Amino acid sequence: MDSYAAPARSLVAALADAAAADPSRAVAFQGAPGANSHVAVTEAFPDALALPCFSFDDALDAVKDGRADRAMIPIENSLHGRVADIHFLLPESGLVITAEHFLGIRHALIGCGPKDGVRQAMSHPQALGQCRHWLKAHGIEPVNYADTAGAAALVAERRDPAIAALAPPGAAALYGLDLLATDIADADHNMTRFVTLARGTKPLLGEGPWMTTFIFEVRNVPAALYKAMGGFATNGVNMTKLESYQRGGSFAATEFFCDVEGRPGDPAFDRAMEELGFHCKWVRVLGTYAQARARG
């Protein structure tokens, strides 16, 4: 609780108390009340009890410990790429992906003085990156902070007119600040993809279409990745994301994070995954869930 700036603590305490009274309805998110992740929770689960957590690890631990039924984590943004290192966080947590949600992002400059007097803007590195051209054009120095609304709470605590926050517009009213500028992202198509994480798989209800997320490591032989991917092409399975990353300080053992359309039990999907497994050291499915929006 003390990690939050003082203006956020009473809001965090109230939300945490409500979640503790009914953890089956609680959805954990990273950030202070009013953060984009909080907005995403209220959009995706209108009847849920949002549980603020200071870090991504704290949000996942809340689910593992039974203090929340689910967590919502942002994983990628249309302007600035990867948000949370889900390929590290999720396998270690033992949780599974059960849903996805897309949130249109609106950034506002909020503070306690005139816009012309702002010299620094505090926010999550993702938000700062999504507004870097606007900030540069206005001579405002970006300052990293743990989350957007948390930065607004800190600005409210300091009451320095030279320091503002980049946060969702609703955070201004929560923390008694002024809206100095709105819709300041560097592009209009600013969208963040969130995934919902839970302790176990949920029944796949409805007709889809479906998405499956998995990680894998190919064998250390020539053309291993090319051969591993071939099964998806020959079986007509659409791959919407393929991202490489390094684990454990090694530049040799490359692992991959992948999204494909389909689910276990679909013949084409099963054949593609069988061929993938033949060319890999290991494959781990992180979750199968309904698509929140069509790809392509």
Side-chain angles (χ1 to χ4, degrees):
M1 186 74 68
D2 291 342
S3 298
Y4 293 97
R9 290 173 196 160
S10 61
L11 298 174
V12 171
L15 291 173
D17 288 346
D22 192 359
S24 65
R25 293 174 55 207
V27 180
F29 69 93
Q30 184 273 330
N36 282 308
S37 293
H38 189 188
V39 176
V41 170
T42 58
E43 277 193 5
F45 305 107
D47 297 326
L49 300 172
L51 173 62
C53 301
F54 193 74
S55 70
F56 289 120
D57 284 333
D58 292 341
L60 300 183
D61 286 343
V63 181
K64 291 190 291 183
D65 298 342
R67 290 180 286 117
D69 181 60
R70 293 159 289 186
M72 279 196 76
I73 301 294
I75 62 170
E76 58 184 333
N77 176 267
S78 60
L79 292 182
H80 208 59
R82 182 191 303 169
V83 180
D85 285 334
I86 196 70
H87 42 267
F88 293 131
L89 293 171
L90 184 51
E92 296 167 359
S93 72
L95 304 179
V96 297
I97 303 174
T98 60
E100 65 176 1
H101 181 74
F102 290 85
L103 177 70
I105 303 298
R106 295 183 59 221
H107 292 303
L109 185 73
I110 60 179
C112 57
K115 183 178 72 173
D116 293 344
V118 175
R119 297 292 175 261
Q120 293 183 329
M122 302 178 63
S123 197
H124 189 279
Q126 273 281 332
L128 295 171
Q130 294 160 21
C131 302
R132 63 187 182 277
H133 297 305
W134 189 93
L135 293 173
K136 184 177 181 180
H138 288 80
I140 298 175
E141 176 190 359
V143 178
N144 288 350
Y145 194 70
D147 79 281
T148 54
L154 186 58
V155 167
E157 180 179 62
R158 292 183 176 179
R159 305 303 298 181
D160 183 346
I163 303 175
L166 288 185
L174 278 178
Y175 299 110
L177 297 171
D178 298 323
L179 280 172
L180 307 181
T182 57
D183 295 322
I184 61 176
D186 294 332
D188 294 334
H189 57 78
N190 195 5
M191 183 80 65
T192 294
R193 179 188 176 208
F194 291 77
V195 292
T196 301
L197 309 175
R199 287 185 293 276
T201 57
K202 307 289 186 182
L204 298 180
L205 303 176
E207 298 181 357
W210 306 101
M211 184 71 69
T212 296
T213 297
F214 55 91
I215 54 176
F216 63 93
E217 181 182 345
V218 295
R219 300 183 187 279
N220 192 18
V221 297
L225 180 62
Y226 173 80
K227 295 174 182 176
M229 297 292 95
F232 295 95
T234 56
N235 287 285
V237 176
N238 187 32
M239 182 176 295
T240 64
K241 182 179 181 68
L242 178 64
E243 185 174 293
S244 64
Y245 60 97
Q246 306 289 338
R247 184 185 294 273
S250 170
F251 289 95
T254 300
E255 300 178 10
F256 295 88
F257 180 93
C258 190
D259 288 333
V260 300
E261 292 183 319
R263 67 172 184 172
D266 294 342
F269 175 89
D270 290 343
R271 289 192 298 268
M273 292 297 286
E274 182 179 7
E275 189 165 341
L276 173 70
F278 181 78
H279 296 288
C280 290
K281 294 181 180 180
W282 53 264
V283 179
R284 180 172 177 180
V285 174
L286 301 181
T288 298
Y289 46 94
Q291 291 184 22
R293 61 185 299 179
R295 269 50 169 192

